[in-house]
Amino acid sequence: MTMEHRVRVRELGVELTGEPGPWNAITDVPGVEVGYVTLVEGDGVRTGVTAILPRGRGGVGVPCSAGWHSFNGNGEMTGTAWIEESGSLAVPVVITNTYAVGPVHRGVIEWVRANCRGMAPEWLLPVVTETWDGHLNDIHGAAVGPGHAAAAIDAAAAGPVEEGCVGGGTGMRCYGFKGGSGTASRVVEYGADRYTVGAFVQANFGARRELVMAGVPVGRELTDPAGGAADAAAVGDGERPVPPGAGSVIVVVATDAPLLPGQCKALARRVSLGLARTGTTGSHFSGDIFLAFSTANRGALTSTFPETDGPAGAPYESLRFVPWGRMDPFYEAVVESVEEAVLNVLTGARAMTGRDGHHVPALPLDRVGALLAARAR
Protein backbone atom coordinates (compact mmCIF):
# COMPACT_ATOMS: atom_id res chain seq x y z
CA MET A 1 0.00 0.00 0.00
CA THR A 2 1.17 3.51 -0.76
CA MET A 3 0.68 6.55 1.44
CA GLU A 4 0.11 9.21 -1.21
CA HIS A 5 -1.58 12.42 -0.08
CA ARG A 6 -5.34 12.29 -0.45
CA VAL A 7 -7.94 15.04 -0.15
CA ARG A 8 -11.66 15.70 0.01
CA VAL A 9 -13.24 16.47 -3.33
CA ARG A 10 -13.74 20.19 -2.60
CA GLU A 11 -9.97 20.53 -2.13
CA LEU A 12 -9.61 19.74 -5.83
CA GLY A 13 -11.54 22.89 -6.59
CA VAL A 14 -14.63 20.97 -7.64
CA GLU A 15 -17.72 23.17 -7.43
CA LEU A 16 -20.67 21.42 -5.84
CA THR A 17 -24.09 22.83 -5.03
CA GLY A 18 -25.54 23.34 -1.57
CA GLU A 19 -24.26 24.56 1.80
CA PRO A 20 -22.41 21.91 3.82
CA GLY A 21 -22.39 21.76 7.60
CA PRO A 22 -19.30 22.56 9.71
CA TRP A 23 -17.71 19.11 9.22
CA ASN A 24 -19.42 18.37 5.92
CA ALA A 25 -20.27 15.00 7.45
CA ILE A 26 -23.17 12.97 8.78
CA THR A 27 -21.98 14.00 12.25
CA ASP A 28 -23.16 17.55 11.52
CA VAL A 29 -26.57 16.18 12.54
CA PRO A 30 -26.55 16.75 16.32
CA GLY A 31 -26.13 13.54 18.28
CA VAL A 32 -24.94 11.36 15.40
CA GLU A 33 -21.65 9.53 16.02
CA VAL A 34 -19.48 7.35 13.77
CA GLY A 35 -16.96 4.72 14.87
CA TYR A 36 -14.58 2.43 13.01
CA VAL A 37 -12.58 -0.73 13.46
CA THR A 38 -10.11 -1.15 10.59
CA LEU A 39 -8.44 -4.54 10.06
CA VAL A 40 -5.35 -4.67 7.85
CA GLU A 41 -3.28 -7.75 8.67
CA GLY A 42 -0.78 -9.76 6.63
CA ASP A 43 -1.49 -10.15 2.93
CA GLY A 44 -5.14 -11.17 3.10
CA VAL A 45 -7.06 -9.18 5.72
CA ARG A 46 -8.46 -5.91 4.38
CA THR A 47 -11.78 -5.37 6.11
CA GLY A 48 -13.46 -3.81 9.13
CA VAL A 49 -16.60 -2.54 10.83
CA THR A 50 -18.36 0.84 10.84
CA ALA A 51 -20.90 1.87 13.47
CA ILE A 52 -23.30 4.80 13.08
CA LEU A 53 -25.14 5.80 16.25
CA PRO A 54 -28.17 8.05 15.61
CA ARG A 55 -28.21 9.45 19.16
CA GLY A 56 -24.76 8.47 20.39
CA ARG A 57 -24.07 5.67 22.86
CA GLY A 58 -26.24 7.32 25.52
CA GLY A 59 -29.20 7.35 23.14
CA VAL A 60 -29.18 3.70 22.11
CA GLY A 61 -32.70 2.45 22.73
CA VAL A 62 -34.35 5.83 22.08
CA PRO A 63 -36.17 5.41 18.77
CA CYS A 64 -35.83 7.62 15.70
CA SER A 65 -38.33 7.92 12.90
CA ALA A 66 -36.87 5.80 10.07
CA GLY A 67 -37.44 4.33 6.63
CA TRP A 68 -35.42 2.28 4.16
CA HIS A 69 -35.28 1.56 0.43
CA SER A 70 -33.75 -1.13 -1.74
CA PHE A 71 -32.70 0.22 -5.14
CA ASN A 72 -31.24 -3.20 -6.00
CA GLY A 73 -31.64 -6.08 -3.61
CA ASN A 74 -28.43 -8.04 -4.21
CA GLY A 75 -27.31 -7.39 -0.64
CA GLU A 76 -28.37 -7.51 3.00
CA MET A 77 -29.60 -5.16 5.69
CA THR A 78 -30.97 -6.93 8.75
CA GLY A 79 -33.80 -5.49 10.82
CA THR A 80 -35.58 -3.81 7.92
CA ALA A 81 -38.83 -5.73 8.39
CA TRP A 82 -39.18 -4.15 11.82
CA ILE A 83 -38.27 -0.69 10.50
CA GLU A 84 -40.99 -1.12 7.87
CA GLU A 85 -43.49 -2.28 10.49
CA SER A 86 -42.81 0.25 13.25
CA GLY A 87 -41.27 3.18 11.35
CA SER A 88 -38.60 3.41 14.01
CA LEU A 89 -34.88 2.76 14.57
CA ALA A 90 -33.49 2.45 18.09
CA VAL A 91 -30.18 0.62 17.56
CA PRO A 92 -26.79 1.39 16.00
CA VAL A 93 -26.46 0.89 12.24
CA VAL A 94 -23.41 -1.30 11.64
CA ILE A 95 -21.73 -1.86 8.26
CA THR A 96 -19.19 -4.58 7.42
CA ASN A 97 -18.37 -7.12 4.71
CA THR A 98 -20.84 -9.62 3.29
CA TYR A 99 -19.71 -12.68 5.24
CA ALA A 100 -19.28 -10.82 8.54
CA VAL A 101 -22.95 -9.93 9.02
CA GLY A 102 -23.45 -12.88 11.40
CA PRO A 103 -20.65 -12.18 13.90
CA VAL A 104 -21.33 -8.43 13.79
CA HIS A 105 -25.04 -9.05 14.44
CA ARG A 106 -24.09 -11.08 17.49
CA GLY A 107 -21.64 -8.40 18.58
CA VAL A 108 -24.31 -5.71 18.58
CA ILE A 109 -26.56 -7.89 20.74
CA GLU A 110 -23.73 -8.48 23.21
CA TRP A 111 -22.90 -4.76 23.36
CA VAL A 112 -26.51 -3.81 24.02
CA ARG A 113 -26.86 -6.46 26.71
CA ALA A 114 -23.72 -5.20 28.44
CA ASN A 115 -24.43 -1.49 28.13
CA CYS A 116 -28.20 -1.02 27.86
CA ARG A 117 -29.66 -3.47 30.34
CA GLY A 118 -33.12 -1.91 30.25
CA MET A 119 -33.45 -2.05 26.47
CA ALA A 120 -35.66 -4.88 25.24
CA PRO A 121 -34.05 -7.64 27.34
CA GLU A 122 -36.38 -10.17 25.73
CA TRP A 123 -35.44 -9.48 22.09
CA LEU A 124 -33.39 -7.24 19.82
CA LEU A 125 -33.30 -6.73 16.05
CA PRO A 126 -29.91 -5.22 15.11
CA VAL A 127 -29.44 -3.37 11.84
CA VAL A 128 -26.33 -4.82 10.17
CA THR A 129 -25.58 -4.30 6.51
CA GLU A 130 -22.76 -5.10 4.09
CA THR A 131 -20.84 -4.75 0.86
CA TRP A 132 -18.48 -7.32 -0.72
CA ASP A 133 -14.72 -6.91 -0.22
CA GLY A 134 -13.60 -10.31 -1.53
CA HIS A 135 -11.22 -8.89 -4.16
CA LEU A 136 -8.79 -7.48 -1.60
CA ASN A 137 -9.90 -9.34 1.52
CA ASP A 138 -10.01 -13.04 2.38
CA ILE A 139 -13.73 -12.80 2.88
CA HIS A 140 -14.01 -16.51 3.76
CA GLY A 141 -11.73 -15.97 6.74
CA ALA A 142 -12.82 -15.14 10.27
CA ALA A 143 -11.07 -11.80 10.67
CA VAL A 144 -14.22 -9.98 11.86
CA GLY A 145 -15.64 -11.15 15.17
CA PRO A 146 -18.38 -9.99 17.54
CA GLY A 147 -15.87 -7.97 19.54
CA HIS A 148 -15.10 -5.78 16.55
CA ALA A 149 -18.74 -4.67 16.39
CA ALA A 150 -18.59 -3.68 20.06
CA ALA A 151 -15.27 -1.89 19.51
CA ALA A 152 -16.70 0.13 16.60
CA ILE A 153 -19.66 1.21 18.73
CA ASP A 154 -17.32 2.14 21.59
CA ALA A 155 -15.15 4.14 19.18
CA ALA A 156 -18.06 6.19 17.83
CA ALA A 157 -17.62 9.94 18.15
CA ALA A 158 -18.98 13.22 16.83
CA GLY A 159 -16.92 15.70 14.83
CA PRO A 160 -14.87 15.11 11.66
CA VAL A 161 -15.14 11.66 10.09
CA GLU A 162 -12.18 9.82 8.57
CA GLU A 163 -12.78 8.72 4.98
CA GLY A 164 -11.40 6.25 2.49
CA CYS A 165 -9.91 2.88 3.48
CA VAL A 166 -11.38 2.70 6.99
CA GLY A 167 -13.95 0.64 8.88
CA GLY A 168 -16.28 -1.49 6.82
CA GLY A 169 -14.99 0.31 3.73
CA THR A 170 -11.39 -0.85 4.17
CA GLY A 171 -11.32 -3.38 1.33
CA MET A 172 -13.89 -1.88 -1.05
CA ARG A 173 -13.70 -0.72 -4.68
CA CYS A 174 -15.65 2.07 -6.39
CA TYR A 175 -15.79 2.80 -10.13
CA GLY A 176 -12.76 0.55 -10.64
CA PHE A 177 -10.68 2.54 -8.13
CA LYS A 178 -10.15 2.20 -4.41
CA GLY A 179 -13.44 2.73 -2.61
CA GLY A 180 -14.50 2.75 1.01
CA SER A 181 -16.15 5.15 3.45
CA GLY A 182 -17.25 8.72 2.77
CA THR A 183 -19.62 11.36 4.06
CA ALA A 184 -21.05 14.83 3.39
CA SER A 185 -23.85 17.08 4.63
CA ARG A 186 -26.14 19.92 3.63
CA VAL A 187 -27.90 22.65 5.59
CA VAL A 188 -31.59 23.17 4.84
CA GLU A 189 -33.27 26.45 5.75
CA TYR A 190 -36.89 25.96 6.75
CA GLY A 191 -38.52 29.24 7.69
CA ALA A 192 -36.64 30.54 10.73
CA ASP A 193 -35.10 27.11 11.38
CA ARG A 194 -31.96 25.50 9.99
CA TYR A 195 -31.75 21.72 9.75
CA THR A 196 -29.00 19.38 8.57
CA VAL A 197 -29.14 16.41 6.24
CA GLY A 198 -26.07 14.17 6.32
CA ALA A 199 -25.12 11.10 4.31
CA PHE A 200 -22.64 8.29 4.98
CA VAL A 201 -21.66 5.97 2.14
CA GLN A 202 -19.87 2.62 2.06
CA ALA A 203 -19.04 2.63 -1.65
CA ASN A 204 -18.23 -0.58 -3.50
CA PHE A 205 -20.03 -0.09 -6.81
CA GLY A 206 -19.81 1.32 -10.34
CA ALA A 207 -17.87 0.58 -13.53
CA ARG A 208 -14.91 2.82 -14.36
CA ARG A 209 -16.37 3.98 -17.66
CA GLU A 210 -19.43 5.34 -15.80
CA LEU A 211 -17.68 7.69 -13.38
CA VAL A 212 -18.91 11.29 -13.48
CA MET A 213 -17.51 14.06 -11.27
CA ALA A 214 -19.37 17.37 -11.06
CA GLY A 215 -21.03 16.58 -14.38
CA VAL A 216 -17.78 15.67 -16.16
CA PRO A 217 -17.58 12.06 -17.48
CA VAL A 218 -14.01 11.51 -16.30
CA GLY A 219 -14.32 7.70 -16.22
CA ARG A 220 -14.16 7.49 -20.02
CA GLU A 221 -10.71 9.11 -19.94
CA LEU A 222 -9.22 7.11 -17.08
CA THR A 223 -7.56 3.85 -18.06
CA ASP A 224 -6.04 1.19 -15.86
CA PRO A 225 -2.23 0.94 -15.49
CA ALA A 226 -2.09 -1.62 -18.31
CA GLY A 227 -3.68 0.87 -20.67
CA GLY A 228 -7.16 -0.64 -20.81
CA ALA A 229 -10.44 0.53 -19.40
CA ALA A 230 -11.61 -2.81 -17.97
CA ASP A 231 -12.14 -2.93 -14.21
CA ALA A 232 -13.43 -6.44 -13.54
CA ALA A 233 -12.21 -7.79 -10.20
CA ALA A 234 -10.28 -11.05 -10.14
CA VAL A 235 -11.25 -13.57 -7.48
CA GLY A 236 -9.76 -16.87 -6.32
CA ASP A 237 -8.27 -19.59 -8.48
CA GLY A 238 -10.94 -21.24 -10.60
CA GLU A 239 -13.52 -18.54 -9.88
CA ARG A 240 -15.03 -16.24 -12.46
CA PRO A 241 -14.08 -12.53 -12.33
CA VAL A 242 -16.59 -10.17 -10.81
CA PRO A 243 -18.02 -7.93 -13.56
CA PRO A 244 -17.51 -4.15 -13.51
CA GLY A 245 -20.18 -2.40 -11.47
CA ALA A 246 -20.70 -5.28 -9.03
CA GLY A 247 -20.08 -5.05 -5.31
CA SER A 248 -22.80 -2.97 -3.57
CA VAL A 249 -23.31 0.38 -1.87
CA ILE A 250 -24.83 1.16 1.50
CA VAL A 251 -26.00 4.69 2.30
CA VAL A 252 -27.23 6.00 5.65
CA VAL A 253 -28.98 9.38 5.69
CA ALA A 254 -29.53 11.32 8.92
CA THR A 255 -31.40 14.54 9.66
CA ASP A 256 -32.57 16.53 12.65
CA ALA A 257 -35.61 17.79 10.73
CA PRO A 258 -38.86 16.46 12.20
CA LEU A 259 -40.12 13.83 9.75
CA LEU A 260 -42.64 11.01 9.62
CA PRO A 261 -41.40 7.47 8.94
CA GLY A 262 -42.86 7.68 5.42
CA GLN A 263 -40.90 10.89 4.83
CA CYS A 264 -37.70 9.17 5.96
CA LYS A 265 -38.44 6.45 3.44
CA ALA A 266 -38.86 9.14 0.81
CA LEU A 267 -35.40 10.49 1.69
CA ALA A 268 -33.97 6.99 1.33
CA ARG A 269 -35.47 6.70 -2.15
CA ARG A 270 -33.72 9.93 -3.24
CA VAL A 271 -30.33 8.35 -2.51
CA SER A 272 -30.56 6.66 -5.92
CA LEU A 273 -30.55 10.09 -7.57
CA GLY A 274 -27.42 11.16 -5.73
CA LEU A 275 -25.63 7.98 -6.80
CA ALA A 276 -26.79 8.53 -10.37
CA ARG A 277 -25.07 11.92 -10.41
CA THR A 278 -21.77 10.03 -10.02
CA GLY A 279 -22.54 7.93 -13.08
CA THR A 280 -23.83 4.54 -11.95
CA THR A 281 -26.67 2.90 -13.83
CA GLY A 282 -27.24 0.31 -11.09
CA SER A 283 -25.61 -3.06 -11.65
CA HIS A 284 -27.65 -6.22 -11.23
CA PHE A 285 -24.75 -7.58 -9.15
CA SER A 286 -24.74 -4.68 -6.71
CA GLY A 287 -26.76 -4.55 -3.50
CA ASP A 288 -27.84 -0.92 -3.22
CA ILE A 289 -29.68 -0.47 0.08
CA PHE A 290 -30.39 2.80 1.87
CA LEU A 291 -31.62 3.84 5.31
CA ALA A 292 -32.76 7.28 6.51
CA PHE A 293 -33.66 8.44 10.01
CA SER A 294 -34.71 11.60 11.84
CA THR A 295 -33.47 12.41 15.33
CA ALA A 296 -36.37 14.80 16.03
CA ASN A 297 -39.42 13.87 18.14
CA ARG A 298 -37.32 12.25 20.85
CA GLY A 299 -39.45 10.01 23.02
CA ALA A 300 -42.04 9.22 20.37
CA LEU A 301 -42.40 5.98 18.38
CA THR A 302 -41.63 3.86 21.41
CA SER A 303 -42.34 0.15 21.28
CA THR A 304 -42.31 -1.28 24.79
CA PHE A 305 -44.48 -3.74 26.65
CA PRO A 306 -47.43 -1.94 28.34
CA GLU A 307 -46.92 -1.71 32.09
CA THR A 308 -50.59 -1.36 33.09
CA ASP A 309 -54.01 -1.85 31.58
CA GLY A 310 -56.98 0.47 31.57
CA PRO A 311 -57.21 4.23 30.92
CA ALA A 312 -54.09 5.04 32.98
CA GLY A 313 -52.07 2.64 30.88
CA ALA A 314 -53.23 3.85 27.48
CA PRO A 315 -51.07 6.89 26.64
CA TYR A 316 -50.84 8.72 23.32
CA GLU A 317 -47.83 9.98 21.39
CA SER A 318 -47.58 12.87 18.95
CA LEU A 319 -45.23 13.71 16.09
CA ARG A 320 -44.26 17.13 14.77
CA PHE A 321 -43.32 16.96 11.10
CA VAL A 322 -42.57 18.97 8.00
CA PRO A 323 -45.62 19.07 5.70
CA TRP A 324 -45.27 16.78 2.70
CA GLY A 325 -45.62 19.71 0.32
CA ARG A 326 -42.48 21.30 1.76
CA MET A 327 -40.16 18.28 1.49
CA ASP A 328 -38.38 19.23 -1.75
CA PRO A 329 -35.44 21.07 -0.12
CA PHE A 330 -34.74 17.98 1.99
CA TYR A 331 -34.80 15.76 -1.09
CA GLU A 332 -32.34 18.12 -2.76
CA ALA A 333 -30.05 17.94 0.28
CA VAL A 334 -30.02 14.14 0.14
CA VAL A 335 -29.09 14.09 -3.55
CA GLU A 336 -26.31 16.64 -3.09
CA SER A 337 -24.82 15.09 0.04
CA VAL A 338 -24.85 11.56 -1.39
CA GLU A 339 -23.11 12.71 -4.56
CA GLU A 340 -20.40 14.47 -2.58
CA ALA A 341 -19.97 11.58 -0.13
CA VAL A 342 -19.22 9.20 -3.02
CA LEU A 343 -16.69 11.62 -4.48
CA ASN A 344 -15.08 12.00 -1.05
CA VAL A 345 -14.65 8.23 -0.95
CA LEU A 346 -12.78 8.28 -4.25
CA THR A 347 -10.57 11.26 -3.52
CA GLY A 348 -9.82 10.09 0.02
CA ALA A 349 -9.09 6.39 -0.54
CA ARG A 350 -5.49 5.27 -1.08
CA ALA A 351 -4.31 2.51 -3.41
CA MET A 352 -4.31 -0.91 -1.76
CA THR A 353 -2.83 -4.35 -2.38
CA GLY A 354 -4.53 -7.31 -0.71
CA ARG A 355 -5.07 -11.03 -0.94
CA ASP A 356 -3.30 -12.98 -3.68
CA GLY A 357 -1.49 -9.78 -4.65
CA HIS A 358 -4.64 -8.13 -5.97
CA HIS A 359 -4.12 -4.40 -6.36
CA VAL A 360 -6.66 -1.58 -6.64
CA PRO A 361 -5.35 1.84 -7.72
CA ALA A 362 -6.45 5.09 -6.19
CA LEU A 363 -8.30 7.62 -8.27
CA PRO A 364 -5.50 9.63 -9.98
CA LEU A 365 -6.09 13.08 -8.54
CA ASP A 366 -3.68 14.92 -10.84
CA ARG A 367 -5.31 13.41 -13.92
CA VAL A 368 -8.81 14.13 -12.62
CA GLY A 369 -7.86 17.69 -11.78
CA ALA A 370 -6.59 18.22 -15.31
CA LEU A 371 -9.77 16.77 -16.83
CA LEU A 372 -11.98 18.97 -14.68
CA ALA A 373 -9.92 22.05 -15.45
CA ALA A 374 -10.04 21.34 -19.18
CA ARG A 375 -13.81 21.05 -19.07
CA ALA A 376 -14.07 24.30 -17.10
CA ARG A 377 -12.04 26.09 -19.77
Side-chain angles (χ1 to χ4, degrees):
M1 290 178 289
T2 62
M3 296 300 292
E4 74 274 24
H5 178 64
R6 307 300 288 177
V7 299
R8 304 194 83 186
V9 68
R10 287 175 181 256
E11 296 176 60
L12 292 179
V14 176
E15 294 186 5
L16 298 167
T17 56
E19 177 190 350
W23 302 113
N24 198 6
I26 194 171
T27 48
D28 288 326
V29 177
V32 176
E33 298 178 350
V34 176
Y36 293 127
V37 167
T38 300
L39 301 174
V40 177
E41 301 169 0
D43 296 328
V45 176
R46 304 286 186 272
T47 192
V49 180
T50 299
I52 300 173
L53 280 60
R55 301 187 187 277
R57 279 182 296 279
V60 173
V62 180
C64 295
S65 180
W68 76 288
H69 175 66
S70 172
F71 175 59
N72 193 62
N74 198 344
E76 180 63 88
M77 179 182 285
T78 69
T80 52
W82 181 240
I83 292 172
E84 189 76 17
E85 180 74 20
S86 66
S88 67
L89 170 74
V91 293
V93 180
V94 187
I95 319 174
T96 187
N97 78 61
T98 306
Y99 288 2
V101 170
V104 168
H105 192 278
R106 182 64 200 178
V108 174
I109 293 173
E110 292 176 358
W111 187 92
V112 171
R113 289 187 64 207
N115 294 277
C116 307
R117 300 296 297 177
M119 179 186 173
E122 297 83 8
W123 57 272
L124 190 69
L125 295 171
V127 176
V128 181
T129 188
E130 53 77 30
T131 63
W132 181 85
D133 61 10
H135 180 59
L136 289 170
N137 177 54
D138 177 13
I139 198 168
H140 295 281
V144 178
H148 294 119
I153 295 171
D154 284 332
V161 177
E162 188 177 359
E163 294 172 303
C165 311
V166 290
T170 299
M172 304 302 169
R173 305 165 72 247
C174 185
Y175 288 114
F177 297 103
K178 189 64 190 70
S181 305
T183 187
S185 70
R186 291 294 185 272
V187 174
V188 178
E189 294 189 356
Y190 185 78
D193 297 320
R194 285 168 60 89
Y195 295 112
T196 301
V197 173
F200 182 94
V201 175
Q202 183 162 299
N204 191 53
F205 71 102
R208 186 173 301 178
R209 66 183 183 277
E210 297 177 320
L211 176 60
V212 174
M213 298 184 69
V216 180
V218 298
R220 302 174 190 173
E221 306 295 331
L222 300 174
T223 59
D224 64 24
D231 55 350
V235 287
D237 291 341
E239 299 179 16
R240 291 172 292 181
V242 176
S248 299
V249 54
I250 300 299
V251 181
V252 178
V253 173
T255 185
D256 57 345
L259 301 181
L260 298 169
Q263 293 172 322
C264 291
K265 190 177 185 70
L267 293 189
R269 287 197 299 269
R270 267 64 183 187
V271 169
S272 302
L273 302 177
L275 297 178
R277 284 192 177 188
T278 68
T280 183
T281 54
S283 170
H284 170 74
F285 297 101
S286 181
D288 305 342
I289 305 176
F290 320 132
L291 173 68
F293 62 82
S294 163
T295 59
N297 292 301
R298 186 183 179 96
L301 293 171
T302 56
S303 179
T304 57
F305 291 159
E307 296 182 359
T308 59
D309 295 324
Y316 292 93
E317 291 180 348
S318 61
L319 290 172
R320 180 172 178 258
F321 62 94
V322 173
W324 276 99
R326 295 182 177 271
M327 286 293 294
D328 285 357
F330 298 95
Y331 297 155
E332 183 178 11
V334 170
V335 174
E336 292 176 344
S337 59
V338 169
E339 176 191 18
E340 184 168 359
V342 172
L343 299 182
N344 280 334
V345 170
L346 289 165
T347 60
R350 294 183 170 89
M352 180 176 283
T353 301
R355 73 170 185 93
D356 298 330
H358 294 167
H359 179 78
V360 180
L363 182 74
L365 300 185
D366 290 346
R367 178 68 173 140
V368 166
L371 290 170
L372 295 175
R375 176 57 66 92
R377 289 194 297 269

